[in-house]
Structures are given as structure tokens and as C-alpha cells.
């Protein structure tokens, strides 16, 4: 799953505007708005803070730093481990073909973005950021949407100042951050149908597993590259 690619600026702005409109107007008590809100909360609560057997970004970052000679080497470990997990998840949820696709695709969506969120948060932690800070948590989510991040911020009335990590200096109001976070969730969920159509190779049992693994590997590496750019080492900005 994922959003990176060569989208045109106009299409990106339209998508961002739609996502923000839904985030502002949607009610949280059910339906699509409720689904987006729950998805956002799960990415933040589980993807960053961990839950049960799903280790937190703090734990992942600490473990990587103990076996690496420097922060960059630690990040290499983090990216490698999460790439393997994403590939495994993509393979397992795609190998059943069309018979299991209606069930496995939503599972793959949640699994992929939980891994991607934790990976980005771990990279930010290794680079010295406080991942409990609301603005940094929003920056972590925005990293997942690639080129749409600036448009989401602009539509929410936030001035983009270079890297997403710079949001920490703006001390944005909680309601604004909530709208941005929900806009990210709406944007991610809106890709499900399009990604289904683009993954017809996954409709073939077993062969689909390799297609799913390859695509998720490619996408999580793109997100990792974005995280390295958006969260430079604190002090080097």
C-alpha cells in the first residue's frame, strides 16, 4: 500500500482538499468518518506507542542503537527489519488470490501502515526527536502521504516550513493537529479501492504473494527514504 509516485500537483491538491474537507465535516460516531478516526488513533497509539506484542517505536529505536555504531547504522537496521516484516505481510495476505482479497486487503492496509508508522517514528527517535510531542506525531503521520503532505498542511491553514519535523517549532493548536491527522487517515483510506485495481496480479494464488511482497517492499522503502529526509539529526537542521 502507499501513496508515493509521480502524481501531478493539481491532482495532489484536489486529494488533499477532499481529505481535509472530510476531516473537518465528518462526524466521529460512525460511518466513514468514524472509520478514519479509529484508523488515525490506531496508527498513533499502536504504531508509535506499541501495544501487546507490537513493540513501541521507543523500544525499536533503543534496540537498534544498542547494536549499531552510530545513528545512521541504527536506522539501517530499523529499515531492514521493517522491510522484511512488510514483505512478509504482503506475501501472506496476498497469496490466497481473489478468493481472500476482499478480506486480506484491509488487513494488509492496517498492517502495512502500522509498520510504516512505527518505522518512521523509530527513525525520528534515533535522530533525537521527542515522539511524544503532538507536532512530531503529526509529522510522522504526514510522512506516510508523501507529496500530499504540504497540501494537507496548506488546506488546514498551516504554513509549511521545509521539513515536516519543523512543525515542532510551530506549537500548533490541538484542534488543528487533529484535523491534519484525520486528513492523513482519510487520504490513506481513500487509496484502498485504487490499490485494489492496481494489484490484479495479487489475484493469482501464490503468485499474488510475490506481487504483494514486492510492492510492499518498494513502498516501505520509499517511506523510509522520506523519513530520512524529513527528520534530519537534531542539531543538523
Amino acid at each position: 500500500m502507499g501513496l508515493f509516485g509521480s502524481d501531478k500537483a493539481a491532482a495532489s491538491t484536489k486529494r488533499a482538499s477532499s481529505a481535509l474537507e472530510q476531516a473537518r465535516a465528518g462526524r466521529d460516531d460512525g460511518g466513514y468518518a468514524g472509520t478514519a478516526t479509529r484508523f488515525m488513533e490506531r496508527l498513533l497509539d499502536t504504531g508509535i506507542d506499541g501495544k501487546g506484542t507490537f513493540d513501541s517505536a521507543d523500544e525499536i529505536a533503543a534496540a537498534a542503537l544498542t547494536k549499531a555504531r552510530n545513528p545512521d547504522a541504527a536506522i539501517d537496521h530499523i529499515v531492514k527489519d521493517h522491510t522484511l516484516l512488510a514483505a512478509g505481510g504482503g506475501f501472506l495476505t496476498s497469496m490466497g488470490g481473489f478468493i481472500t482479497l476482499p478480506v486480506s486487503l484491509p488487513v494488509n492496509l492496517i498492517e502495512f501502515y502500522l509498520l510504516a508508522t512505527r518505522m518512521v517514528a523509530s527513525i525520528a527517535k534515533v535522530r533525537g526527536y521527542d515522539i511524544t510531542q503532538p507536532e512530531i506525531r503529526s509529522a510522522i503521520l504526514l510522512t506516510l502521504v508523501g507529496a500530499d503532505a504540504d497540501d494537507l498542511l496548506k488546506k488546514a491553514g498551516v504554513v509549511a516550513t521545509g521539513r515536516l519535523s519543523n512543525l515542532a517549532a510551530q506549537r500548533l493548536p490541538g484542534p488543528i493537529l487533529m484535523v491534519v491527522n484525520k486528513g492523513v487517515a482519510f487520504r490513506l483510506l481513500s487509496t484502498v479501492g485504487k490499490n485494489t485495481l492496481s494489484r490484479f496480479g495479487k489475484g493469482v494464488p501464490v503468485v499474488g504473494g510475490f506481487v504483494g511482497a514486492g510492492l510492499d517492499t518498494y513502498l516501505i522503502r520509499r517511506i523510509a527514504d522520506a523519513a530520512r529526509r524529513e527528520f534530519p539529526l537534531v542539531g543538523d537542521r
Side-chain angles (χ1 to χ4, degrees):
M1 317 303 298
L3 309 178
F4 290 88
S6 56
D7 294 337
K8 293 181 179 180
S12 178
T13 301
K14 182 177 180 181
R15 289 195 304 268
S17 178
S18 176
L20 262 297
E21 288 170 359
Q22 292 177 82
R24 285 197 178 101
R27 296 175 61 193
D28 293 342
D29 56 348
Y32 192 59
T35 298
T37 299
R38 290 189 295 273
F39 184 43
M40 173 200 72
E41 291 172 347
R42 190 167 182 182
L43 291 180
L44 290 171
D45 296 341
T46 303
I48 298 178
D49 299 327
K51 185 176 182 179
T53 59
F54 194 84
D55 292 338
S56 69
D58 271 333
E59 293 171 314
I60 295 296
L65 285 168
T66 61
K67 57 185 178 183
R69 62 186 182 278
N70 56 53
D72 284 341
I75 289 171
D76 289 341
H77 281 296
I78 290 169
V79 173
K80 179 181 178 181
D81 289 346
H82 284 75
T83 299
L84 291 172
L85 289 170
F91 180 83
L92 291 175
T93 57
S94 305
M95 67 181 300
F98 282 120
I99 295 176
T100 61
L101 193 60
V103 174
S104 65
L105 188 62
V107 171
N108 186 214
L109 173 81
I110 294 171
E111 178 191 61
F112 179 88
Y113 281 120
L114 282 175
L115 286 173
T117 300
R118 186 176 69 177
M119 179 185 69
V120 174
S122 299
I123 291 172
K125 180 67 177 182
V126 168
R127 290 273 174 84
Y129 295 88
D130 179 3
I131 60 175
T132 67
Q133 187 176 350
E135 290 86 356
I136 292 299
R137 293 166 81 88
S138 292
I140 289 167
L141 293 188
L142 284 163
T143 303
L144 305 179
V145 300
D148 287 346
D150 285 347
D151 288 313
L152 281 170
L153 288 171
K154 187 184 300 182
K155 295 298 181 181
V158 179
V159 178
T161 56
R163 296 184 177 97
L164 292 174
S165 57
N166 291 339
L167 287 178
Q170 297 193 40
R171 302 294 179 183
L172 298 171
I176 293 295
L177 292 176
M178 178 65 71
V179 169
V180 170
N181 293 348
K182 287 175 65 177
V184 171
F186 275 112
R187 185 67 196 97
L188 295 178
L189 289 173
S190 72
T191 67
V192 175
K194 288 181 287 186
N195 281 329
T196 300
L197 294 175
S198 68
R199 287 184 167 206
F200 274 122
K202 296 177 68 173
V204 181
V206 182
V207 173
F210 291 101
V211 175
L215 185 56
D216 284 357
T217 294
Y218 169 76
L219 292 172
I220 203 161
R221 284 177 177 170
R222 293 294 298 273
I223 293 175
D225 290 342
R228 292 178 195 263
R229 292 193 303 270
E230 299 295 348
F231 295 94
L233 191 66
V234 170
D236 289 352
R237 291 179 290 173

